[in-house]
Amino acid sequence: MNILVTGGAGFIGSFLVDELIKRKHKVVIYDVLDNQVHLGKIPYYLNKKAEFVRADIRDYKLLKKTILKYKIEVIYHLAAKVGVGQSQYQIKEYIDVNVGGTSNLLDIIVNNKTTVKKLIVASSMSTYGEGMYYCRKCNKEFQPDLRSKEQLDKCLWEVLCPECKTVVEAKPTTETAKQVCHSIYALSKKVQEEMCLIIGKTYNIPTVALRFFNVFGPRQSLSNPYTGVAAIFMSRIKNNKPPIIFEDGLQTRDFVYVTDVVQSCILALKSQADYKVYNVGCGKPVGILDVAKTIAKVYGKDIKPEIRNKYRKGDIRHCFADITKIKKELGFKPKISFEDGIKKLVLWAKTTEAKDFYEQAEKELQQKGLL
Ligand SMILES: NC(=O)c1ccc[n+]([C@@H]2O[C@H](COP(=O)([O-])OP(=O)(O)OC[C@H]3O[C@@H](n4cnc5c(N)ncnc54)[C@H](O)[C@@H]3O)[C@@H](O)[C@H]2O)c1
Ligand SMILES: [Zn+2]
């Protein structure tokens, strides 16, 4: 098939491109090579067997020309600005690229005689806000609001039951959870997902939204301090600096290895997936402090993470995926454990340049009042 991967020069997109080429598809990468991610260079891993169109998703004419010229049948839409904190002050840029870019794509598909017959869009766990929790005392499952400023100012990090005020336990989050966005980035992903599904359903173009959890692995930009906690910690450790931990480090996320995410993208081609939304994670929570410690240990560096006991506005405490739906309906099975994934990440990072812009990014967040 003729397949377009927007954002195909990025971290996840590049692994997807490799897999599609391996499967004998004709692949076109459409990517602007965002400076923050690629530092002005063409990535060394860009697959030479793919066509590469270096262009902006906001460029309507070029995007249209590409889709028509290559008779694109399947589109994986991954091009996006991806920093949660940064999206809170680069509001126009994030909405322009993520929402505006998606509107271009859909407008072109709908208003031209294209050959597009499937659309798969990268959504995000960030659209949930807090994950699901369970209160033993009240025997109730619920999805809380963000923790209050008063609570966080007292360094009370865990989520409390709104009724009995005891600490509650995190549960796997299902696709049916509410999408309560706390950042422009999250909102832009939610809008992207809905736009694609609305237009897909209206025009009978099978569309699938994949809600990726915390994806990690080689090729994630080690010089982009705005996204990807494992890559940020990796960059700090490689540069002999301590990873910075917000709160107490016991907050958890669901880390899914990049090739497992690619597996979900391939499975999404199945017709059973059409017009549906799936979580893509490992289904297991990992503590943020553990991520930092594991990377340092595997790297072989005696660096202790710096626990700040401070919070970032809008951060959630726990969210990990319930992956029952994608397992059952599409046969998804994560293959790479967290520890094995970190080993692969470290092996790669040792051979890669990592400019540590973390402090600069933190200063920026501070100046904007987000820390
Ligand atoms: N990495 C994660 O943990 C994660 C989690 C949830 C969702 N996602 C989503 O997955 C997708 C891929 O993310 P990634 O982690 O590979 O990020 P990435 O930054 O490595 O890749 C994104 C790519 O999009 C390109 N891009 C940015 N702006 C563009 C524009 N205006 N026009 C064309 N191309 C543009 C960049 O150059 C980059 O190559 C994104 O849509 C992201 O929102 C990622
Ligand atoms: Zn309770």
Side-chain angles (χ1 to χ4, degrees):
M1 280 189 295
N2 299 331
I3 302 184
L4 180 75
V5 182
T6 75
F11 163 47
I12 302 170
S14 68
F15 278 97
L16 173 61
V17 168
D18 290 351
E19 183 60 31
L20 292 170
I21 299 247
K22 217 166 98 190
R23 289 169 181 257
K24 309 275 181 246
H25 294 294
K26 282 187 74 181
V27 181
V28 181
I29 296 168
Y30 190 98
D31 196 306
V32 78
L33 298 184
D34 185 17
N35 212 30
Q36 186 167 292
V37 181
H38 300 285
L39 304 181
K41 291 184 207 133
I42 296 178
Y44 70 89
Y45 52 73
L46 201 75
N47 198 310
K48 293 196 174 52
K49 290 190 181 138
E51 289 290 335
F52 176 41
V53 180
R54 183 172 184 177
D56 200 301
I57 194 76
R58 289 169 289 187
D59 188 332
Y60 192 98
K61 269 195 190 152
L62 253 174
L63 186 58
K64 178 175 156 186
K65 196 175 144 197
T66 306
I67 292 172
L68 293 174
K69 178 179 169 192
Y70 294 102
K71 299 191 172 51
I72 295 300
E73 297 165 279
V74 174
I75 299 177
Y76 285 96
H77 182 36
L78 272 67
K81 295 288 291 181
V82 297
V84 175
Q86 192 180 43
S87 76
Q88 300 293 67
Y89 51 93
Q90 291 192 5
I91 300 162
K92 182 167 160 38
E93 177 76 2
Y94 272 73
I95 293 296
D96 276 356
V97 174
N98 296 5
V99 179
T102 307
S103 73
N104 273 353
L105 195 64
L106 298 173
D107 200 284
I108 291 163
I109 296 172
V110 164
N111 293 301
N112 295 280
K113 277 211 169 71
T114 72
T115 37
V116 176
K117 51 182 190 222
K118 183 113 185 189
L119 173 63
I120 294 156
V121 59
S123 183
S124 164
M125 57 76 74
S126 64
T127 63
Y128 289 125
E130 279 289 0
M132 305 282 288
Y133 291 79
Y134 175 69
C135 176
R136 271 183 196 281
K137 217 166 158 191
C138 303
N139 186 25
K140 238 188 196 169
E141 215 173 78
F142 65 105
Q143 192 184 359
D145 292 332
L146 280 185
R147 294 158 295 170
S148 70
K149 182 176 182 307
E150 292 72 42
Q151 180 186 336
L152 293 172
D153 284 341
K154 288 185 217 149
C155 296
L156 294 173
W157 305 125
E158 289 300 341
V159 171
L160 304 174
C161 171
E163 281 163 33
C164 69
K165 309 289 175 212
T166 54
V167 169
V168 290
E169 62 187 86
K171 300 290 281 181
T173 298
T174 57
E175 290 86 349
T176 52
K178 292 175 287 181
Q179 288 178 294
V180 191
C181 300
H182 302 294
S183 69
I184 295 296
Y185 168 73
L187 185 65
S188 76
K189 296 311 285 184
K190 180 180 170 197
V191 172
Q192 252 189 331
E193 177 186 309
E194 281 189 34
M195 283 167 79
C196 291
L197 286 164
I198 289 170
I199 294 302
K201 282 179 197 158
T202 306
Y203 293 94
N204 303 318
I205 304 159
T207 300
V208 187
L210 300 173
R211 293 181 185 156
F212 300 156
F213 278 63
N214 286 60
V215 190
F216 76 109
R219 301 184 192 168
Q220 189 164 31
S221 176
L222 295 181
S223 305
N224 182 358
Y226 298 98
T227 189
V229 66
I232 293 172
F233 289 172
M234 183 85 248
S235 181
R236 294 285 292 174
I237 287 166
K238 189 176 160 77
N239 286 290
N240 299 312
K241 290 185 186 150
I244 306 297
I245 310 278
F246 289 95
E247 305 185 13
D248 57 358
L250 301 181
Q251 63 272 43
T252 62
R253 297 292 184 272
D254 185 328
F255 287 87
V256 56
Y257 191 70
V258 63
T259 51
D260 283 328
V261 171
V262 169
Q263 184 199 147
S264 77
C265 293
I266 301 293
L267 289 170
L269 290 170
K270 290 187 178 183
S271 59
Q272 296 94 295
D274 293 351
Y275 308 109
K276 293 197 185 142
V277 167
Y278 294 98
N279 281 341
V280 181
C282 245
K284 286 187 209 110
V286 178
I288 292 298
L289 183 59
D290 281 342
V291 175
K293 284 184 176 166
T294 308
I295 294 174
K297 194 173 117 207
V298 174
Y299 207 108
K301 289 215 184 182
D302 187 20
I303 296 177
K304 284 209 169 56
E306 193 179 310
I307 301 176
R308 282 276 165 91
N309 274 302
K310 282 189 180 152
Y311 63 92
R312 285 184 304 200
K313 276 189 190 159
D315 269 4
I316 57 152
R317 183 66 178 170
H318 304 288
C319 188
F320 66 102
D322 184 318
I323 52 171
T324 312
K325 187 176 170 192
I326 191 165
K327 271 180 161 172
K328 223 161 136 183
E329 294 184 8
L330 306 183
F332 175 73
K333 193 170 180 280
K335 292 188 177 135
I336 308 287
S337 69
F338 174 69
E339 290 74 16
D340 286 348
I342 292 290
K343 280 183 198 152
K344 288 171 190 285
L345 172 64
V346 168
L347 214 63
W348 169 79
K350 285 190 172 174
T351 64
T352 307
E353 185 190 22
K355 289 211 172 91
D356 177 27
F357 295 124
Y358 182 79
E359 268 131 28
Q360 187 185 317
E362 197 180 286
K363 207 185 265 169
E364 233 172 85
L365 287 182
Q366 216 150 25
Q367 277 164 0
K368 302 286 174 189
L370 301 170
L371 280 184

